[in-house]
Amino acid sequence: MSGEIEKHLDKLLDKRDYKPITKKAYKNWLIKLHNYYPNKKLSQITFQEIEKYIKQLITRKKGTYDTIRQLTYACNFLYNDILNKNYKFYKIKLPSLDRKEKDYLTQEEILILLDYIQNKKHKAIIATIYSCYLELNELLNLKLKDINSKKGILKVYSNSTNSSRDCILSDSLLEIFKEYYNSLVTKPQLYLFEGQKVGAKYSGTSLRKFLNKYVTECEIQKDITPTSLRMSGIKHLTELGTPLYTILKSLGMNDLKTYENYNKFCYENYKISFSPLDKIIVKPKLNDFELFDIENLVFKVKDKELKNYLKEAIACLRVGALKAGVIFIWTAGIRLIQYRIIENYQLKEINKELKTIYPKAKDIKTINDFSFIKDDFTIQLSSRLGLYDKNQKNELINSCLGLRNKCGHPSNYNPQPNKVKSYIEDMMEMIFY
């Protein structure tokens, strides 16, 4: 008998454009309801009997807010949409929503976590979930053939929606993939991430264990799961200006309730507290493409001080504070030059060349002594030591340092985006790479 009911429900559900996971859940709930009233046909169960079934689930603590809501949706499908019973399911009182606040990582914590992880496979797994905001099953199902490095795309297949989507394969993630693959003695044969057995998927249990281990060791006081990483990626996209609707549409999420839940998570209790008339700000700003190189650099820089300067620069450039962005990039660059001088040359040689261009200079003993040396003298010193040729020295002093000084002194000067873009390209080419 139950087999016939199951086939009948399958037939009804197949006519609806529901996700496979939704169809399965509806069918399971309706079969459970029928089993609770085995002497009645499923179509003959009354609203009062459904209400009684729900109450006993709640009393026995087998029904949470989410499960009871799903049950009412399943019943609404059958009794109202199919059988036209017009049952008042909206009157059913759901259990209290005792939902723990979702933990997520800040972008700073993501960087700390990725910098800390030495295991190339573990690092690649965590970076992939976050970068492409994947569900756990999507991550575990990834295959080598799903990587298209030429187009910069990662093909992702979902069990829950029985569909696929293209995710952006960033240069940063691709570099992490290469490091992971080259570190392996035994290469994966089918899946991107395989377990101890060649050709077998990586274990979700193992993933959760090492993620929890790294979060604890990084002293991040949060309950972080693979879902937390995914949610963090989505939240950060909204913080970077991507509309939530656009993100969820790309994930195949079109349900209004889903949108409301994500909206609450991403924007928390955000309220409109001002009029646009009070916030008229017209500023030039660089687009994301022009910021890509410097954003990518943040993942490669290991020194915390330099990394912080670059992150400050990116934050300024994103909102159009171009002068501040120029200053932070220069500060990071000149600090990197100082490091290279200290690391590559003897103090005796450094001070000899320094006195040639600045006789009154105090001897350099540590990197902090450069604070007494003007930036143009530091660049001249680096050139005399052989770090830069004459043309590079002149370009750094006249063009790059020149723009930095214009931006650093009080004036009405506002650099044009193209000027800042050219400045970033010069700094990246001559200092950071």
Side-chain angles (χ1 to χ4, degrees):
M1 184 68 177
S2 60
E4 294 179 7
I5 294 175
E6 188 172 345
K7 289 180 181 179
H8 180 62
L9 290 173
D10 282 334
K11 187 176 180 181
L12 294 175
L13 288 164
D14 284 342
K15 296 179 180 179
R16 298 303 175 101
D17 187 24
Y18 293 147
K19 297 177 182 178
I21 193 171
T22 301
K23 292 179 181 179
K24 182 179 179 180
Y26 281 14
K27 182 176 71 173
N28 289 342
W29 272 120
L30 291 171
I31 289 173
K32 287 179 181 179
L33 176 63
H34 175 262
N35 291 339
Y36 191 74
Y37 296 105
N39 297 323
K40 299 192 71 170
K41 291 183 178 180
L42 188 60
S43 59
Q44 294 176 341
I45 297 175
T46 66
F47 175 77
Q48 289 72 24
E49 288 170 330
I50 295 173
E51 199 171 26
K52 179 182 176 182
Y53 173 61
I54 290 174
K55 285 181 180 179
Q56 67 86 24
L57 285 176
I58 296 173
T59 302
R60 293 166 56 195
K61 297 184 178 180
K62 290 189 175 183
T64 63
Y65 174 90
D66 290 323
T67 57
I68 298 302
R69 186 182 64 171
Q70 191 177 65
L71 169 57
T72 59
Y73 285 171
C75 291
N76 185 71
F77 156 74
L78 178 63
Y79 293 99
N80 291 344
D81 294 351
I82 301 298
L83 301 176
N84 297 315
K85 296 281 190 179
N86 197 28
Y87 287 168
K88 312 297 183 185
F89 291 112
Y90 60 85
K91 291 186 176 182
I92 293 177
K93 186 176 181 181
L94 300 177
S96 59
L97 181 56
D98 184 19
R99 181 171 289 167
K100 180 183 176 182
E101 287 296 318
K102 294 182 176 68
D103 276 331
Y104 66 93
L105 294 174
T106 64
Q107 283 192 299
E108 178 72 20
E109 288 168 334
I110 289 289
L111 289 175
I112 291 172
L113 190 62
L114 292 177
D115 282 346
Y116 176 80
I117 299 172
Q118 299 301 310
N119 184 296
K120 303 296 185 184
K121 178 188 283 188
H122 294 173
K123 183 174 183 177
I125 288 173
I126 289 177
T128 305
I129 295 176
Y130 169 75
S131 177
C132 300
Y133 29 100
L134 304 183
E135 294 178 346
L136 179 58
N137 73 78
E138 292 175 336
L139 180 282
L140 300 179
N141 286 336
L142 286 176
K143 296 180 180 178
L144 293 170
K145 66 180 180 63
D146 296 331
I147 300 175
N148 190 328
S149 57
K150 290 184 178 179
K151 292 185 177 180
I153 289 174
L154 183 66
K155 180 74 74 173
V156 176
Y157 295 88
S158 174
N159 288 343
S160 59
T161 61
N162 196 27
S163 61
S164 66
R165 70 178 189 276
D166 291 337
C167 289
I168 293 175
L169 177 57
S170 72
D171 286 352
S172 298
L173 184 57
L174 184 58
E175 188 64 29
I176 291 174
F177 280 170
K178 289 178 180 177
E179 291 179 2
Y180 150 62
Y181 191 82
N182 292 334
S183 71
L184 298 175
V185 176
T186 303
K187 308 297 184 185
Q189 298 299 309
L190 177 61
Y191 293 98
L192 178 57
F193 303 111
E194 295 184 347
Q196 294 182 350
K197 185 178 179 181
V198 176
K201 296 180 185 179
Y202 195 79
S203 164
T205 301
S206 298
L207 194 162
R208 293 185 186 92
K209 285 182 179 178
F210 76 64
L211 174 59
N212 182 65
K213 171 179 173 290
Y214 292 132
V215 168
T216 301
E217 290 175 356
C218 287
E219 298 182 352
I220 298 174
Q221 305 298 318
K222 295 179 180 179
D223 182 17
I224 300 300
T225 65
T227 299
S228 305
L229 291 176
R230 178 176 190 260
M231 299 291 283
S232 299
I234 293 173
K235 184 175 178 69
H236 296 162
L237 274 182
T238 64
E239 292 173 349
L240 293 168
T242 306
L244 178 60
Y245 174 79
T246 302
I247 300 170
L248 297 184
K249 187 177 180 180
S250 72
L251 295 173
M253 299 180 183
N254 302 308
D255 180 69
L256 178 60
K257 191 64 181 179
T258 300
Y259 182 87
E260 290 176 352
N261 290 336
Y262 272 93
N263 188 72
K264 182 178 179 181
F265 169 71
C266 291
Y267 302 109
E268 298 175 353
N269 297 316
Y270 183 83
K271 294 181 180 179
I272 299 174
S273 58
F274 61 89
S275 163
L277 192 61
D278 301 325
K279 296 285 185 178
I280 297 176
I281 301 175
V282 181
K283 290 183 178 179
K285 58 183 178 181
L286 304 183
N287 60 41
D288 292 339
F289 174 78
E290 291 163 340
L291 291 179
F292 176 75
D293 284 343
I294 191 170
E295 288 175 328
N296 191 41
L297 183 62
V298 171
F299 287 93
K300 297 180 179 179
V301 171
K302 297 302 180 184
D303 183 82
K304 187 175 181 181
E305 182 184 24
L306 294 180
K307 182 171 288 190
N308 286 337
Y309 281 131
L310 291 171
K311 287 191 291 185
E312 290 284 359
I314 292 169
C316 292
L317 294 171
R318 278 179 182 154
V319 298
L322 303 189
K323 290 197 289 186
V326 166
I327 292 170
F328 278 117
I329 292 173
W330 177 261
T331 304
I334 198 68
R335 193 60 165 175
L336 186 54
I337 291 175
Q338 294 167 0
Y339 277 130
R340 287 173 178 164
I341 291 174
I342 289 290
E343 292 170 357
N344 293 290
Y345 301 96
Q346 297 291 327
L347 290 177
K348 183 178 179 180
E349 183 182 6
I350 293 172
N351 288 305
K352 177 184 176 182
E353 295 297 341
L354 179 60
K355 292 289 174 52
T356 302
I357 57 177
Y358 183 27
K360 295 182 179 180
K362 295 180 180 179
D363 283 351
I364 298 292
K365 296 179 180 178
T366 68
I367 192 168
N368 292 328
D369 292 329
F370 277 101
S371 60
F372 302 104
I373 308 298
K374 291 183 179 180
D375 290 351
D376 60 338
F377 288 150
T378 300
I379 297 170
Q380 290 182 53
L381 172 62
S382 66
S383 178
R384 292 186 67 87
L385 291 169
L387 283 177
Y388 298 104
D389 61 30
K390 183 179 179 180
N391 290 332
Q392 290 173 319
K393 177 197 73 174
N394 291 337
E395 185 68 19
L396 284 171
I397 292 177
N398 298 328
S399 181
C400 297
L401 179 56
L403 180 61
R404 181 259 174 248
N405 289 338
K406 283 183 180 180
C407 293
H409 297 147
S411 69
N412 293 326
Y413 175 73
N414 288 305
Q416 293 300 308
N418 285 340
K419 181 74 173 177
V420 177
K421 179 183 177 183
S422 177
Y423 165 82
I424 291 174
E425 290 173 350
D426 288 342
M427 292 290 289
M428 297 294 289
E429 180 180 347
M430 290 189 284
I431 297 180
F432 293 109
Y433 286 151

